[in-house]
Amino acid sequence: MSSLRIGKAKAFSLGLSDIASDKSISHRCAIFSLLSDKTSVVRNYLEAEDTLCTLNIVKSLGAILKSEDGILYITPPSKIIEPPLILDCGNSGTAMRLLMGFLSSVEGFFVLHGDKYLASRPMKRVAKPLRDIGAKIDGRKDGDLSPICIRGSKLKPFDYKSPISSAQVKSALILSALNSQNDAPSFFSEPQISRDHTERMLKGMGVDITYENGKIVIPPTKKPLQPLDITVPADPSSAFFFAVAAAIVPDSKVVLKNVLLNKTRVEAYKILQKMGTKIEFIEKDDKYESIGDIVVEYAPLCAVEVSENISWLIDELPALSIAFACAKGTSRVKNAKELRVKESDRISAVVKNLQLCGIEAKEADDGYDVTGGVLKEAVFNSFGDHRIAMSFAIASLVCGGTIEDTECISTSFPNFTDTLKKIGKVDTILGMRLKGFKKSAE
Ligand code: S3P
């Protein structure tokens, strides 16, 4: 188990062009390449643990991978191979859920599993609607928990109204429709449109996805699709840690370069802006997605209530909580129950860690309250969750702190520590946990 010790930072001003590539888009590049019969070309694929797991799975399913001058070429097999070994999704809910949709509509037998954190995350949200259209899926707790076993088959078209806004559920169902090659269209709706990379990328591959009366329409589509030719932008969720750093360290400024500006992904920046931070979006490109620079400059923060568009900022809430802790007044998060089933229970993880550094924070069933104050030096627990580890590393820039169990950072942002070193003093403490000395939090 390694830890990070971080010292208080002084005012900084810098441009960052080495933010990790977008995780959601990278997963999709790997999986969607299997829908074509030609080689997909992917620049800036995220080389982090989560997305490398997905790439390995795509390879086990028969794709040939080549990497040259930083460009990834994915050549799909003419027919998906039935892999002799189980498919390891690591820590990634996105990989497991999207692959459930994809594989349940492909001939063969497949087993998906992941790490101990993924093993406790709910899969029924995908298994149930897929079973309703004929999928043969099973797993622990009647198909809710991994390992997940799939016997692929042709599935029926659907008109599914999802009770939750989830891009993972949406993408799993869209993938099943594309593989099943039905003559009738399928329809999907959700309470609020979730991140829409699947729709955008598949449109670029030739699928005529449309929106009709609040529903996504997936028309009968003949495979193979066009291959992808894409440059993955920087991940706005990863960049957000440094936006918060500039927002809480007085007189600081950061320019986050070539970041994905899709409106379903930058809502947290809008909240930070509402709290008082100066933020400017400079759009530079728009092919599959809008891409540009984000300029973030310190200004005193005031409290805010966050209860709308939750699915557009769900991944950034832990980092946003650090801004709440530095703001004047009490901030409140509501309607965010989904936080409880992310890589950790993020409501409990955020509240516990904020309390450790002397900040008043209170849990509710679907959110939490944070009263801004003076943060004190503390030893934080990552709970094995990359976004909790990075959020409290940023908090430590104002109070000094140690974050325990930080290996998880490499699931999404392997060069986070190097980037953080441009702002503050960071020491990595390598440690080994001895048998019998397990932490009680586990
Ligand atoms: C993701 C969707 C979100 C998000 C996750 C990545 C995706 O989850 O939290 O980090 O790539 O589709 P939900 O779709 O479950 O909300």
Side-chain angles (χ1 to χ4, degrees):
M1 184 188 73
S2 65
S3 305
L4 287 180
R5 189 186 296 134
I6 295 147
K8 286 188 197 178
K10 296 198 181 78
F12 63 89
S13 177
L14 77 168
L16 294 178
S17 49
D18 52 357
I19 301 287
S21 300
D22 193 75
K23 186 154 76 72
S24 291
I25 294 181
S26 295
H27 280 302
R28 285 162 174 78
C29 286
I31 299 170
F32 294 2
S33 67
L34 298 173
L35 294 164
S36 180
D37 63 343
K38 298 195 179 65
T39 302
S40 283
V41 181
V42 186
R43 285 165 290 271
N44 289 351
Y45 187 87
L46 173 64
E47 290 186 30
E49 274 173 16
D50 260 17
T51 45
L52 290 175
C53 279
T54 305
L55 212 48
N56 264 325
I57 291 177
V58 165
K59 194 173 165 202
S60 305
L61 296 173
I64 296 168
L65 310 178
K66 198 175 86 182
S67 175
E68 229 172 61
D69 299 329
I71 304 175
L72 174 66
Y73 299 87
I74 312 173
T75 306
S78 49
K79 187 171 185 291
I80 298 289
I81 291 173
E82 190 175 54
L85 301 179
I86 53 178
L87 302 170
D88 181 5
C89 301
N91 187 244
S92 175
T94 307
M96 187 168 280
R97 294 187 180 122
L98 266 60
L99 284 163
M100 283 170 73
F102 179 82
L103 293 173
S104 61
S105 45
V106 165
E107 201 188 313
F109 176 73
F110 311 92
V111 181
L112 297 166
H113 87 130
D115 66 13
K116 66 174 181 181
Y117 302 102
L118 187 55
S120 66
R121 296 184 63 191
M123 295 298 142
K124 244 276 178 64
R125 52 183 58 200
V126 176
K128 167 139 189 353
L130 287 172
R131 278 172 169 175
D132 289 347
I133 52 172
K136 298 180 192 91
I137 298 184
D138 212 342
R140 288 182 300 131
K141 294 259 159 70
D142 189 28
D144 195 28
L145 299 178
S146 68
I148 296 288
C149 303
I150 299 167
R151 163 69 61 195
S153 57
K154 185 173 158 73
L155 307 180
K156 289 182 279 206
F158 55 83
D159 183 351
Y160 185 60
K161 197 167 175 230
S162 173
I164 47 169
S165 295
S166 164
Q168 296 178 354
V169 175
K170 172 174 68 180
S171 305
L173 279 147
I174 293 178
L175 286 168
S176 82
L178 291 176
N179 270 339
S180 292
Q181 301 273 280
N182 289 304
D183 295 329
S186 285
F187 303 89
F188 179 90
S189 59
E190 55 189 343
Q192 183 213 10
I193 287 214
S194 56
R195 66 186 66 189
D196 60 355
H197 311 305
T198 293
E199 296 94 301
R200 287 169 181 267
M201 290 170 71
L202 289 174
K203 270 189 201 167
M205 295 175 80
V207 185
D208 190 20
I209 290 185
T210 51
Y211 295 87
E212 225 175 79
N213 305 324
K215 290 182 180 182
I216 296 171
V217 187
I218 308 114
T221 306
K222 285 278 156 270
K223 279 203 308 185
L225 305 183
Q226 298 301 313
L228 286 161
D229 183 349
I230 188 170
T231 302
V232 184
D235 192 319
S237 310
S238 297
F240 193 65
F241 296 109
F242 293 96
V244 172
I248 61 172
V249 177
D251 303 322
S252 296
K253 179 177 173 179
V254 69
V255 183
L256 305 160
K257 305 253 178 80
N258 302 321
V259 180
L260 174 69
L261 298 181
N262 181 317
K263 80 163 185 187
T264 65
R265 297 289 303 281
V266 293
E267 188 71 6
Y269 292 84
K270 305 264 171 73
I271 300 292
L272 207 51
Q273 210 168 28
K274 206 166 152 190
M275 295 176 74
T277 309
K278 293 180 211 153
I279 299 188
E280 197 190 341
F281 299 92
I282 305 165
E283 189 175 352
K284 298 204 288 202
D285 194 11
D286 196 350
K287 190 184 169 191
Y288 293 95
E289 297 275 7
S290 151
I291 297 167
D293 295 346
I294 307 178
V295 186
V296 184
E297 213 176 328
Y298 175 86
L301 294 164
C302 55
V304 74
E305 179 167 315
V306 183
S307 58
E308 285 168 9
N309 296 336
I310 293 293
S311 77
W312 292 2
L313 48 65
I314 193 84
D315 290 342
E316 292 77 34
L317 278 169
L320 202 50
S321 309
I322 308 306
F324 300 160
C326 298
K328 189 165 181 284
T330 299
S331 295
R332 172 165 287 180
V333 175
K334 289 199 305 197
N335 303 328
K337 207 167 179 176
E338 273 295 299
L339 281 177
R340 295 215 180 262
V341 290
K342 290 295 175 188
E343 286 83 329
S344 68
D345 174 344
R346 287 184 174 158
I347 294 182
S348 157
V350 161
V351 166
K352 284 200 173 90
N353 275 332
L354 285 177
Q355 288 169 345
L356 283 175
C357 62
I359 292 294
E360 201 183 312
K362 215 169 55 215
E363 272 192 48
D365 185 40
D366 68 340
Y368 48 91
D369 286 356
V370 179
T371 303
V374 178
L375 283 76
K376 297 190 192 72
E377 183 165 359
V379 178
F380 300 107
N381 186 345
S382 75
F383 296 89
D385 181 337
H386 56 137
R387 297 205 198 280
I388 298 296
M390 291 186 275
S391 298
F392 285 89
I394 296 300
S396 301
L397 294 174
V398 294
C399 58
T402 302
I403 299 81
E404 293 192 318
D405 202 358
T406 48
E407 283 91 349
C408 51
I409 289 174
S410 50
T411 61
S412 65
F413 199 164
N415 61 326
F416 173 79
T417 308
D418 290 337
T419 311
L420 193 62
K421 280 180 182 163
K422 295 179 183 171
I423 296 179
K425 184 164 163 32
V426 185
D427 293 313
T428 303
I429 308 155
L430 295 172
M432 209 171 53
R433 193 173 301 152
L434 298 172
K435 230 177 159 188
F437 283 84
K438 280 192 135 196
K439 280 194 306 184
S440 55
E442 292 181 343

